[in-house]
Structure formats: C-alpha cells, structure tokens
Amino acid sequence: MYEPKSFDELKVNDRVSLSKTITEADGALYIAATGDFGPVHVDEVYAGATRFGRRLAPGIMVAGLCTSVLTSELVGTIGVSVEDRFWFTGPVFYGDTLTFDVWIAEQHDETRTIIWEASARNEGGLEVLKARASLKFPRRKPS
C-alpha cells in the first residue's frame, strides 16, 4: 500500500480491483473539508424531490476514491497527475458498495507517461463512474 513504484515497474494491462462501502461518515468528512454543501448531498427533503429520490454521495469524492485505489494499489506515489477525466454514469447513494476496477491502458516511454482508466460499479452491477487520466513520472536520476 502506497509503495513508491518506478515507471519501469509498470506495464500496460496491469490491473487492480477494490471494493468500498460509501458511508455517511465519508460524505460528512468530504463535505466538511471541501465546503461542498450542495443540497442534493446534505438535504434529505431537497434530495427526495429530485429524480434520485434521496441524497447522493458527492461525485468528486467518488472520483477521489478511484484515484486513491490507483495510487495505493497499482502505480504508487511517484507519478504526478496531469489530466483527469471522470464521467458520472450513475448515482451513488450512501450505503452503496462500489467496486473500483483500475488499469493501465497506455504507457509512453518517451514522455514517461501512463494513461490509466477505471470503472466503478455498485453492488447491482450498475456502472456509476468511468475515468481516463494520465500520470507523468520523473526522469531517472543520472548515475
């Protein structure tokens, strides 16, 4: 967990899968830290009147969990994020257990960049998040 890995240790199709239940505490801590007090996240009455019928977990929090799986379980902590794209393809409710599948889709030796992709699904199999992003790794130190 959170091991430094070099660019050369990684390869296309390296993959990891991890599941996590999204809790009220996760949402409360995220909302308090970011100030994202959108009513669909915090107001049961407001959220009940939306097409979702109840409160949603913040999407960017879910995306952050996805990147945490990437760094803690797959690529380590050396790469620096240079572009992140997330598609929120389904609702995430408190109490949902999500399975994050994260993999290396491309590796570019000349720029020391990897492109990673991810998908998160809830316990019913509904995809709720897709991601495609890039990480750049530092050059090797001269010997």
Side-chain angles (χ1 to χ4, degrees), residues 23-34:
T23 67
E24 292 273 351
D26 295 327
L29 290 168
Y30 173 84
I31 290 165
T34 63

Side-chain angles (χ1 to χ4, degrees), residues 6 11 14 25 61 67 77 88 116 129 136 140:
S6 74
K11 63 185 183 308
D14 284 354
M61 178 187 78
T67 63
T77 58
F88 304 101
W116 62 274
L129 176 79
K136 188 161 180 71
R140 290 183 204 97

Side-chain angles (χ1 to χ4, degrees), residues 52 56 88-93 96 98 122 126-128:
F52 302 108
L56 296 174
F88 304 101
T89 55
V92 176
F93 302 105
D96 284 356
L98 304 183
N122 67 18
L126 175 70
E127 185 176 61
V128 297

Side-chain angles (χ1 to χ4, degrees), residues 38-55:
V40 75
H41 305 309
V42 299
D43 185 332
E44 197 67 58
V45 173
Y46 176 90
T50 70
R51 66 186 173 112
F52 302 108
R54 57 188 166 138
R55 291 181 304 125

